[in-house]
């Protein structure tokens, strides 16, 4: 996936400058990225859905994301933390799985869900609103589980859950 600040187009993740991108790509190619693992809860339709997630919290982690993954469990995902609200966009370059993208405001409110992003596509997928985080889960899961705008996501980055 790529994301962008409000007026600056970016790649799957942040694309600031050529040296940063080259360094991040080299680190990814060497397999040096180890994502922090935690869990989050989505409150939807009176239910609490727990997901085991990996956290992409810096430029290199956001650049790599779920690229090259061949499988993702039904209650697994990746949470991208931008550390402040901003308009972002993603793409699916080098991403092998269809994904749902859940765009989340700083208070943990789901703002937008983009369903079934097409694997390997370089078409941009905008957040539509400023967001603090984006949760990527298996394509079709948001519809299947009833995840929609207005639902609440509980995780430490939103200040509404304890660290896990």
């Amino acid at each position: 996936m790529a994301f962008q600040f409000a007026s600056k187009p970016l790649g799957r993740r942040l694309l600031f400058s050529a040296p940063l991108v080259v360094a991040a790509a080299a680190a990814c190619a060497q397999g040096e990225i180890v994502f922090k693992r935690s869990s989050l809860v989505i409150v939807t339709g009176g239910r609490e859905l727990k997901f085991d997630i990996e956290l992409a919290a810096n430029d290199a982690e956001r650049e790599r994301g779920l690229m090259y993954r061949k499988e993702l469990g039904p209650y697994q995902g990746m949470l991208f933390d931008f550390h402040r609200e901003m308009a972002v966009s993603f793409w699916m370059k080098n991403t092998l799985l269809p994904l749902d993208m859940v765009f989340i405001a700083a208070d943990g409110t789901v703002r937008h869900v983009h369903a079934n992003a097409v694997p390997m596509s370089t078409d941009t997928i905008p957040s539509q609103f400023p967001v603090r985080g984006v949760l990527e889960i298996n394509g079709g899961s948001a519809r299947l589980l009833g995840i929609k705008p207005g639902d609440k996501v509980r995780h430490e980055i939103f200040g509404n859950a304890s660290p896990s």
Side-chain angles (χ1 to χ4, degrees), residues 78-121:
M78 182 169 285
L79 179 61
F80 295 78
D81 182 6
F82 298 100
H83 303 283
R84 64 183 175 88
E85 280 196 337
M86 64 178 72
V88 298
S89 67
F90 284 75
W91 67 12
M92 295 289 288
K93 184 175 182 179
N94 298 321
T95 305
L96 308 174
L97 303 168
L99 298 172
D100 287 350
M101 295 175 201
V102 181
F103 294 91
I104 310 162
D107 68 354
T109 302
V110 174
R111 297 296 311 267
H112 172 66
V113 177
H114 180 89
N116 288 304
V118 177
M120 306 299 284
S121 173

mmCIF file of all heavy atoms in Angstrom, residues 78-121:
data_model
loop_
_atom_site.group_PDB
_atom_site.id
_atom_site.type_symbol
_atom_site.label_atom_id
_atom_site.label_comp_id
_atom_site.label_asym_id
_atom_site.label_seq_id
_atom_site.Cartn_x
_atom_site.Cartn_y
_atom_site.Cartn_z
ATOM 1 N N MET A 78 -2.784 -5.761 9.942
ATOM 2 C CA MET A 78 -1.705 -4.818 10.201
ATOM 3 C C MET A 78 -2.319 -3.449 10.431
ATOM 4 O O MET A 78 -3.173 -3.010 9.655
ATOM 5 C CB MET A 78 -0.712 -4.775 9.038
ATOM 6 C CG MET A 78 0.454 -3.822 9.316
ATOM 7 S SD MET A 78 1.787 -3.983 8.113
ATOM 8 C CE MET A 78 2.539 -5.522 8.653
ATOM 9 N N LEU A 79 -1.865 -2.801 11.504
ATOM 10 C CA LEU A 79 -2.325 -1.456 11.836
ATOM 11 C C LEU A 79 -1.209 -0.473 11.521
ATOM 12 O O LEU A 79 -0.108 -0.588 12.061
ATOM 13 C CB LEU A 79 -2.710 -1.377 13.320
ATOM 14 C CG LEU A 79 -3.196 -0.022 13.823
ATOM 15 C CD1 LEU A 79 -4.460 0.427 13.093
ATOM 16 C CD2 LEU A 79 -3.422 -0.069 15.328
ATOM 17 N N PHE A 80 -1.492 0.467 10.652
ATOM 18 C CA PHE A 80 -0.551 1.508 10.270
ATOM 19 C C PHE A 80 -0.805 2.724 11.152
ATOM 20 O O PHE A 80 -1.918 3.248 11.177
ATOM 21 C CB PHE A 80 -0.737 1.895 8.792
ATOM 22 C CG PHE A 80 -0.398 0.775 7.855
ATOM 23 C CD1 PHE A 80 -1.288 -0.264 7.643
ATOM 24 C CD2 PHE A 80 0.823 0.755 7.206
ATOM 25 C CE1 PHE A 80 -0.974 -1.308 6.796
ATOM 26 C CE2 PHE A 80 1.147 -0.294 6.350
ATOM 27 C CZ PHE A 80 0.248 -1.325 6.147
ATOM 28 N N ASP A 81 0.210 3.158 11.879
ATOM 29 C CA ASP A 81 0.102 4.305 12.777
ATOM 30 C C ASP A 81 0.840 5.488 12.157
ATOM 31 O O ASP A 81 2.038 5.421 11.925
ATOM 32 C CB ASP A 81 0.699 3.945 14.139
ATOM 33 C CG ASP A 81 0.577 5.071 15.149
ATOM 34 O OD1 ASP A 81 -0.063 6.113 14.853
ATOM 35 O OD2 ASP A 81 1.124 4.911 16.256
ATOM 36 N N PHE A 82 0.096 6.562 11.928
ATOM 37 C CA PHE A 82 0.690 7.773 11.349
ATOM 38 C C PHE A 82 1.021 8.801 12.417
ATOM 39 O O PHE A 82 1.495 9.889 12.097
ATOM 40 C CB PHE A 82 -0.242 8.349 10.277
ATOM 41 C CG PHE A 82 -0.442 7.399 9.136
ATOM 42 C CD1 PHE A 82 -1.590 6.631 9.059
ATOM 43 C CD2 PHE A 82 0.528 7.218 8.176
ATOM 44 C CE1 PHE A 82 -1.779 5.717 8.032
ATOM 45 C CE2 PHE A 82 0.355 6.310 7.144
ATOM 46 C CZ PHE A 82 -0.802 5.559 7.076
ATOM 47 N N HIS A 83 0.729 8.510 13.679
ATOM 48 C CA HIS A 83 1.074 9.326 14.843
ATOM 49 C C HIS A 83 0.315 10.644 14.945
ATOM 50 O O HIS A 83 0.439 11.338 15.941
ATOM 51 C CB HIS A 83 2.591 9.566 14.921
ATOM 52 C CG HIS A 83 3.348 8.283 14.967
ATOM 53 N ND1 HIS A 83 3.447 7.517 16.100
ATOM 54 C CD2 HIS A 83 4.009 7.601 13.993
ATOM 55 C CE1 HIS A 83 4.149 6.434 15.836
ATOM 56 N NE2 HIS A 83 4.504 6.444 14.567
ATOM 57 N N ARG A 84 -0.432 11.004 13.951
ATOM 58 C CA ARG A 84 -1.319 12.172 13.971
ATOM 59 C C ARG A 84 -2.308 12.004 12.834
ATOM 60 O O ARG A 84 -2.084 11.207 11.914
ATOM 61 C CB ARG A 84 -0.543 13.474 13.825
ATOM 62 C CG ARG A 84 0.182 13.629 12.502
ATOM 63 C CD ARG A 84 0.996 14.928 12.467
ATOM 64 N NE ARG A 84 1.780 15.031 11.262
ATOM 65 C CZ ARG A 84 1.346 15.561 10.118
ATOM 66 N NH1 ARG A 84 0.132 16.044 10.023
ATOM 67 N NH2 ARG A 84 2.124 15.621 9.059
ATOM 68 N N GLU A 85 -3.408 12.735 12.898
ATOM 69 C CA GLU A 85 -4.389 12.631 11.812
ATOM 70 C C GLU A 85 -3.874 13.331 10.567
ATOM 71 O O GLU A 85 -3.313 14.435 10.650
ATOM 72 C CB GLU A 85 -5.731 13.245 12.234
ATOM 73 C CG GLU A 85 -6.554 12.319 13.081
ATOM 74 C CD GLU A 85 -8.002 12.749 13.181
ATOM 75 O OE1 GLU A 85 -8.324 13.935 12.989
ATOM 76 O OE2 GLU A 85 -8.829 11.861 13.471
ATOM 77 N N MET A 86 -4.077 12.692 9.440
ATOM 78 C CA MET A 86 -3.698 13.268 8.145
ATOM 79 C C MET A 86 -4.448 12.517 7.048
ATOM 80 O O MET A 86 -4.919 11.399 7.263
ATOM 81 C CB MET A 86 -2.188 13.165 7.913
ATOM 82 C CG MET A 86 -1.678 11.727 7.812
ATOM 83 S SD MET A 86 0.106 11.605 7.489
ATOM 84 C CE MET A 86 0.745 12.108 9.058
ATOM 85 N N ALA A 87 -4.548 13.147 5.899
ATOM 86 C CA ALA A 87 -5.097 12.458 4.729
ATOM 87 C C ALA A 87 -4.006 11.538 4.194
ATOM 88 O O ALA A 87 -2.853 11.942 4.061
ATOM 89 C CB ALA A 87 -5.515 13.470 3.666
ATOM 90 N N VAL A 88 -4.362 10.290 3.927
ATOM 91 C CA VAL A 88 -3.399 9.313 3.416
ATOM 92 C C VAL A 88 -4.023 8.561 2.251
ATOM 93 O O VAL A 88 -5.241 8.592 2.058
ATOM 94 C CB VAL A 88 -2.959 8.308 4.511
ATOM 95 C CG1 VAL A 88 -2.253 9.025 5.648
ATOM 96 C CG2 VAL A 88 -4.130 7.493 5.032
ATOM 97 N N SER A 89 -3.187 7.913 1.484
ATOM 98 C CA SER A 89 -3.685 7.010 0.448
ATOM 99 C C SER A 89 -2.725 5.837 0.339
ATOM 100 O O SER A 89 -1.564 5.935 0.707
ATOM 101 C CB SER A 89 -3.856 7.728 -0.894
ATOM 102 O OG SER A 89 -2.623 8.115 -1.418
ATOM 103 N N PHE A 90 -3.252 4.730 -0.136
ATOM 104 C CA PHE A 90 -2.502 3.495 -0.249
ATOM 105 C C PHE A 90 -2.569 2.984 -1.676
ATOM 106 O O PHE A 90 -3.419 3.391 -2.447
ATOM 107 C CB PHE A 90 -3.106 2.422 0.673
ATOM 108 C CG PHE A 90 -2.784 2.597 2.123
ATOM 109 C CD1 PHE A 90 -3.400 3.577 2.876
ATOM 110 C CD2 PHE A 90 -1.869 1.771 2.746
ATOM 111 C CE1 PHE A 90 -3.108 3.733 4.215
ATOM 112 C CE2 PHE A 90 -1.572 1.918 4.086
ATOM 113 C CZ PHE A 90 -2.188 2.895 4.821
ATOM 114 N N TRP A 91 -1.678 2.046 -1.991
ATOM 115 C CA TRP A 91 -1.785 1.266 -3.209
ATOM 116 C C TRP A 91 -1.418 -0.171 -2.851
ATOM 117 O O TRP A 91 -0.982 -0.448 -1.739
ATOM 118 C CB TRP A 91 -0.956 1.825 -4.342
ATOM 119 C CG TRP A 91 0.543 1.769 -4.192
ATOM 120 C CD1 TRP A 91 1.267 1.075 -3.274
ATOM 121 C CD2 TRP A 91 1.484 2.437 -5.008
ATOM 122 N NE1 TRP A 91 2.599 1.270 -3.464
ATOM 123 C CE2 TRP A 91 2.774 2.101 -4.530
ATOM 124 C CE3 TRP A 91 1.392 3.261 -6.114
ATOM 125 C CZ2 TRP A 91 3.931 2.582 -5.112
ATOM 126 C CZ3 TRP A 91 2.555 3.734 -6.683
ATOM 127 C CH2 TRP A 91 3.798 3.403 -6.186
ATOM 128 N N MET A 92 -1.583 -1.072 -3.781
ATOM 129 C CA MET A 92 -1.396 -2.502 -3.517
ATOM 130 C C MET A 92 -0.162 -3.084 -4.213
ATOM 131 O O MET A 92 -0.048 -4.303 -4.334
ATOM 132 C CB MET A 92 -2.649 -3.261 -3.950
ATOM 133 C CG MET A 92 -3.885 -2.932 -3.148
ATOM 134 S SD MET A 92 -3.832 -3.579 -1.481
ATOM 135 C CE MET A 92 -4.038 -5.329 -1.816
ATOM 136 N N LYS A 93 0.741 -2.234 -4.654
ATOM 137 C CA LYS A 93 1.942 -2.705 -5.328
ATOM 138 C C LYS A 93 2.645 -3.763 -4.463
ATOM 139 O O LYS A 93 2.825 -3.562 -3.271
ATOM 140 C CB LYS A 93 2.878 -1.536 -5.601
ATOM 141 C CG LYS A 93 4.099 -1.925 -6.381
ATOM 142 C CD LYS A 93 4.936 -0.716 -6.724
ATOM 143 C CE LYS A 93 6.129 -1.127 -7.541
ATOM 144 N NZ LYS A 93 6.953 0.028 -7.901
ATOM 145 N N ASN A 94 3.002 -4.871 -5.062
ATOM 146 C CA ASN A 94 3.699 -5.986 -4.405
ATOM 147 C C ASN A 94 2.898 -6.626 -3.271
ATOM 148 O O ASN A 94 3.448 -7.337 -2.450
ATOM 149 C CB ASN A 94 5.070 -5.543 -3.885
ATOM 150 C CG ASN A 94 5.965 -5.088 -5.007
ATOM 151 O OD1 ASN A 94 5.972 -5.668 -6.087
ATOM 152 N ND2 ASN A 94 6.710 -4.026 -4.775
ATOM 153 N N THR A 95 1.607 -6.372 -3.227
ATOM 154 C CA THR A 95 0.737 -6.982 -2.218
ATOM 155 C C THR A 95 -0.051 -8.087 -2.903
ATOM 156 O O THR A 95 -0.784 -7.834 -3.861
ATOM 157 C CB THR A 95 -0.189 -5.928 -1.588
ATOM 158 O OG1 THR A 95 0.617 -4.863 -1.081
ATOM 159 C CG2 THR A 95 -1.010 -6.537 -0.460
ATOM 160 N N LEU A 96 0.108 -9.299 -2.431
ATOM 161 C CA LEU A 96 -0.422 -10.473 -3.112
ATOM 162 C C LEU A 96 -1.856 -10.827 -2.727
ATOM 163 O O LEU A 96 -2.518 -11.566 -3.453
ATOM 164 C CB LEU A 96 0.490 -11.676 -2.823
ATOM 165 C CG LEU A 96 1.985 -11.455 -3.112
ATOM 166 C CD1 LEU A 96 2.798 -12.660 -2.656
ATOM 167 C CD2 LEU A 96 2.209 -11.145 -4.579
ATOM 168 N N LEU A 97 -2.318 -10.324 -1.591
ATOM 169 C CA LEU A 97 -3.643 -10.673 -1.076
ATOM 170 C C LEU A 97 -4.636 -9.526 -1.266
ATOM 171 O O LEU A 97 -4.267 -8.367 -1.098
ATOM 172 C CB LEU A 97 -3.548 -10.956 0.434
ATOM 173 C CG LEU A 97 -2.582 -12.032 0.872
ATOM 174 C CD1 LEU A 97 -2.403 -11.985 2.386
ATOM 175 C CD2 LEU A 97 -3.085 -13.386 0.436
ATOM 176 N N PRO A 98 -5.898 -9.810 -1.564
ATOM 177 C CA PRO A 98 -6.904 -8.741 -1.532
ATOM 178 C C PRO A 98 -7.091 -8.319 -0.074
ATOM 179 O O PRO A 98 -7.085 -9.161 0.835
ATOM 180 C CB PRO A 98 -8.165 -9.398 -2.088
ATOM 181 C CG PRO A 98 -7.966 -10.860 -1.895
ATOM 182 C CD PRO A 98 -6.485 -11.111 -1.906
ATOM 183 N N LEU A 99 -7.201 -7.028 0.159
ATOM 184 C CA LEU A 99 -7.303 -6.512 1.520
ATOM 185 C C LEU A 99 -8.461 -5.536 1.662
ATOM 186 O O LEU A 99 -8.778 -4.803 0.725
ATOM 187 C CB LEU A 99 -6.016 -5.777 1.909
ATOM 188 C CG LEU A 99 -4.733 -6.593 1.937
ATOM 189 C CD1 LEU A 99 -3.529 -5.684 2.140
ATOM 190 C CD2 LEU A 99 -4.791 -7.661 3.019
ATOM 191 N N ASP A 100 -9.050 -5.512 2.846
ATOM 192 C CA ASP A 100 -9.951 -4.434 3.240
ATOM 193 C C ASP A 100 -9.111 -3.447 4.027
ATOM 194 O O ASP A 100 -8.274 -3.844 4.854
ATOM 195 C CB ASP A 100 -11.084 -4.944 4.142
ATOM 196 C CG ASP A 100 -12.128 -5.753 3.391
ATOM 197 O OD1 ASP A 100 -12.107 -5.779 2.138
ATOM 198 O OD2 ASP A 100 -12.977 -6.354 4.069
ATOM 199 N N MET A 101 -9.331 -2.157 3.777
ATOM 200 C CA MET A 101 -8.628 -1.104 4.504
ATOM 201 C C MET A 101 -9.644 -0.360 5.346
ATOM 202 O O MET A 101 -10.618 0.180 4.821
ATOM 203 C CB MET A 101 -7.951 -0.157 3.534
ATOM 204 C CG MET A 101 -6.875 -0.804 2.735
ATOM 205 S SD MET A 101 -6.231 0.337 1.510
ATOM 206 C CE MET A 101 -5.511 -0.835 0.378
ATOM 207 N N VAL A 102 -9.405 -0.350 6.646
ATOM 208 C CA VAL A 102 -10.288 0.314 7.588
ATOM 209 C C VAL A 102 -9.567 1.582 8.043
ATOM 210 O O VAL A 102 -8.545 1.510 8.736
ATOM 211 C CB VAL A 102 -10.605 -0.607 8.786
ATOM 212 C CG1 VAL A 102 -11.547 0.081 9.760
ATOM 213 C CG2 VAL A 102 -11.194 -1.934 8.303
ATOM 214 N N PHE A 103 -10.082 2.738 7.630
ATOM 215 C CA PHE A 103 -9.473 4.027 7.928
ATOM 216 C C PHE A 103 -10.052 4.548 9.248
ATOM 217 O O PHE A 103 -11.272 4.659 9.394
ATOM 218 C CB PHE A 103 -9.735 5.005 6.792
ATOM 219 C CG PHE A 103 -9.056 4.599 5.499
ATOM 220 C CD1 PHE A 103 -9.708 3.798 4.568
ATOM 221 C CD2 PHE A 103 -7.762 5.009 5.222
ATOM 222 C CE1 PHE A 103 -9.089 3.419 3.383
ATOM 223 C CE2 PHE A 103 -7.122 4.635 4.037
ATOM 224 C CZ PHE A 103 -7.790 3.839 3.119
ATOM 225 N N ILE A 104 -9.168 4.887 10.213
ATOM 226 C CA ILE A 104 -9.576 5.128 11.594
ATOM 227 C C ILE A 104 -9.103 6.499 12.082
ATOM 228 O O ILE A 104 -7.918 6.825 11.987
ATOM 229 C CB ILE A 104 -9.006 4.027 12.512
ATOM 230 C CG1 ILE A 104 -9.315 2.629 11.941
ATOM 231 C CG2 ILE A 104 -9.529 4.178 13.931
ATOM 232 C CD1 ILE A 104 -8.454 1.523 12.509
ATOM 233 N N ALA A 105 -10.029 7.278 12.655
ATOM 234 C CA ALA A 105 -9.720 8.600 13.210
ATOM 235 C C ALA A 105 -8.900 8.465 14.490
ATOM 236 O O ALA A 105 -8.772 7.377 15.068
ATOM 237 C CB ALA A 105 -11.017 9.358 13.493
ATOM 238 N N ALA A 106 -8.365 9.586 14.973
ATOM 239 C CA ALA A 106 -7.518 9.596 16.161
ATOM 240 C C ALA A 106 -8.228 9.096 17.415
ATOM 241 O O ALA A 106 -7.590 8.591 18.335
ATOM 242 C CB ALA A 106 -6.962 10.994 16.400
ATOM 243 N N ASP A 107 -9.554 9.210 17.464
ATOM 244 C CA ASP A 107 -10.294 8.733 18.639
ATOM 245 C C ASP A 107 -10.728 7.269 18.504
ATOM 246 O O ASP A 107 -11.433 6.740 19.358
ATOM 247 C CB ASP A 107 -11.506 9.620 18.912
ATOM 248 C CG ASP A 107 -12.599 9.509 17.851
ATOM 249 O OD1 ASP A 107 -12.403 8.821 16.819
ATOM 250 O OD2 ASP A 107 -13.662 10.120 18.055
ATOM 251 N N GLY A 108 -10.310 6.601 17.432
ATOM 252 C CA GLY A 108 -10.637 5.197 17.224
ATOM 253 C C GLY A 108 -11.908 4.949 16.432
ATOM 254 O O GLY A 108 -12.306 3.806 16.243
ATOM 255 N N THR A 109 -12.535 6.000 15.926
ATOM 256 C CA THR A 109 -13.765 5.843 15.144
ATOM 257 C C THR A 109 -13.436 5.470 13.700
ATOM 258 O O THR A 109 -12.617 6.127 13.055
ATOM 259 C CB THR A 109 -14.595 7.144 15.148
ATOM 260 O OG1 THR A 109 -14.893 7.500 16.498
ATOM 261 C CG2 THR A 109 -15.877 6.990 14.360
ATOM 262 N N VAL A 110 -14.083 4.425 13.206
ATOM 263 C CA VAL A 110 -13.918 4.041 11.798
ATOM 264 C C VAL A 110 -14.542 5.139 10.944
ATOM 265 O O VAL A 110 -15.717 5.470 11.095
ATOM 266 C CB VAL A 110 -14.582 2.677 11.505
ATOM 267 C CG1 VAL A 110 -14.541 2.360 10.008
ATOM 268 C CG2 VAL A 110 -13.908 1.569 12.313
ATOM 269 N N ARG A 111 -13.747 5.700 10.036
ATOM 270 C CA ARG A 111 -14.221 6.778 9.160
ATOM 271 C C ARG A 111 -14.647 6.265 7.788
ATOM 272 O O ARG A 111 -15.553 6.788 7.171
ATOM 273 C CB ARG A 111 -13.131 7.849 8.975
ATOM 274 C CG ARG A 111 -12.717 8.574 10.230
ATOM 275 C CD ARG A 111 -13.817 9.406 10.879
ATOM 276 N NE ARG A 111 -14.538 10.276 9.989
ATOM 277 C CZ ARG A 111 -14.245 11.557 9.738
ATOM 278 N NH1 ARG A 111 -13.220 12.118 10.314
ATOM 279 N NH2 ARG A 111 -14.987 12.263 8.921
ATOM 280 N N HIS A 112 -13.935 5.252 7.299
ATOM 281 C CA HIS A 112 -14.174 4.761 5.940
ATOM 282 C C HIS A 112 -13.636 3.339 5.840
ATOM 283 O O HIS A 112 -12.645 2.997 6.485
ATOM 284 C CB HIS A 112 -13.460 5.677 4.938
ATOM 285 C CG HIS A 112 -13.467 5.194 3.519
ATOM 286 N ND1 HIS A 112 -14.606 5.086 2.779
ATOM 287 C CD2 HIS A 112 -12.457 4.778 2.719
ATOM 288 C CE1 HIS A 112 -14.296 4.625 1.563
ATOM 289 N NE2 HIS A 112 -13.008 4.433 1.505
ATOM 290 N N VAL A 113 -14.293 2.517 5.038
ATOM 291 C CA VAL A 113 -13.805 1.164 4.752
ATOM 292 C C VAL A 113 -13.705 1.018 3.239
ATOM 293 O O VAL A 113 -14.681 1.254 2.528
ATOM 294 C CB VAL A 113 -14.742 0.075 5.320
ATOM 295 C CG1 VAL A 113 -14.245 -1.316 4.926
ATOM 296 C CG2 VAL A 113 -14.874 0.199 6.834
ATOM 297 N N HIS A 114 -12.519 0.661 2.775
ATOM 298 C CA HIS A 114 -12.337 0.335 1.363
ATOM 299 C C HIS A 114 -12.240 -1.182 1.275
ATOM 300 O O HIS A 114 -11.315 -1.785 1.824
ATOM 301 C CB HIS A 114 -11.073 0.982 0.790
ATOM 302 C CG HIS A 114 -10.882 0.645 -0.655
ATOM 303 N ND1 HIS A 114 -11.424 1.398 -1.655
ATOM 304 C CD2 HIS A 114 -10.245 -0.395 -1.247
ATOM 305 C CE1 HIS A 114 -11.119 0.835 -2.822
ATOM 306 N NE2 HIS A 114 -10.398 -0.248 -2.595
ATOM 307 N N ALA A 115 -13.196 -1.788 0.602
ATOM 308 C CA ALA A 115 -13.270 -3.250 0.542
ATOM 309 C C ALA A 115 -12.528 -3.814 -0.661
ATOM 310 O O ALA A 115 -12.530 -3.236 -1.745
ATOM 311 C CB ALA A 115 -14.737 -3.685 0.476
ATOM 312 N N ASN A 116 -11.905 -4.957 -0.445
ATOM 313 C CA ASN A 116 -11.310 -5.768 -1.508
ATOM 314 C C ASN A 116 -10.381 -5.001 -2.443
ATOM 315 O O ASN A 116 -10.560 -5.017 -3.657
ATOM 316 C CB ASN A 116 -12.406 -6.469 -2.311
ATOM 317 C CG ASN A 116 -13.030 -7.583 -1.514
ATOM 318 O OD1 ASN A 116 -12.336 -8.479 -1.047
ATOM 319 N ND2 ASN A 116 -14.338 -7.523 -1.346
ATOM 320 N N ALA A 117 -9.365 -4.362 -1.864
ATOM 321 C CA ALA A 117 -8.350 -3.713 -2.693
ATOM 322 C C ALA A 117 -7.702 -4.777 -3.576
ATOM 323 O O ALA A 117 -7.411 -5.893 -3.123
ATOM 324 C CB ALA A 117 -7.313 -3.031 -1.817
ATOM 325 N N VAL A 118 -7.494 -4.450 -4.818
ATOM 326 C CA VAL A 118 -7.021 -5.401 -5.827
ATOM 327 C C VAL A 118 -5.518 -5.651 -5.679
ATOM 328 O O VAL A 118 -4.724 -4.707 -5.713
ATOM 329 C CB VAL A 118 -7.333 -4.871 -7.241
ATOM 330 C CG1 VAL A 118 -6.793 -5.808 -8.315
ATOM 331 C CG2 VAL A 118 -8.831 -4.647 -7.405
ATOM 332 N N PRO A 119 -5.120 -6.917 -5.506
ATOM 333 C CA PRO A 119 -3.693 -7.234 -5.382
ATOM 334 C C PRO A 119 -2.887 -6.692 -6.563
ATOM 335 O O PRO A 119 -3.350 -6.688 -7.704
ATOM 336 C CB PRO A 119 -3.667 -8.763 -5.376
ATOM 337 C CG PRO A 119 -5.004 -9.155 -4.847
ATOM 338 C CD PRO A 119 -5.955 -8.122 -5.396
ATOM 339 N N MET A 120 -1.695 -6.202 -6.247
ATOM 340 C CA MET A 120 -0.700 -5.731 -7.210
ATOM 341 C C MET A 120 -1.079 -4.427 -7.923
ATOM 342 O O MET A 120 -0.312 -3.929 -8.748
ATOM 343 C CB MET A 120 -0.375 -6.814 -8.244
ATOM 344 C CG MET A 120 0.054 -8.146 -7.625
ATOM 345 S SD MET A 120 1.547 -8.040 -6.619
ATOM 346 C CE MET A 120 2.768 -7.925 -7.903
ATOM 347 N N SER A 121 -2.219 -3.838 -7.628
ATOM 348 C CA SER A 121 -2.656 -2.620 -8.299
ATOM 349 C C SER A 121 -1.870 -1.404 -7.800
ATOM 350 O O SER A 121 -1.557 -1.304 -6.616
ATOM 351 C CB SER A 121 -4.149 -2.383 -8.047
ATOM 352 O OG SER A 121 -4.541 -1.126 -8.563
#
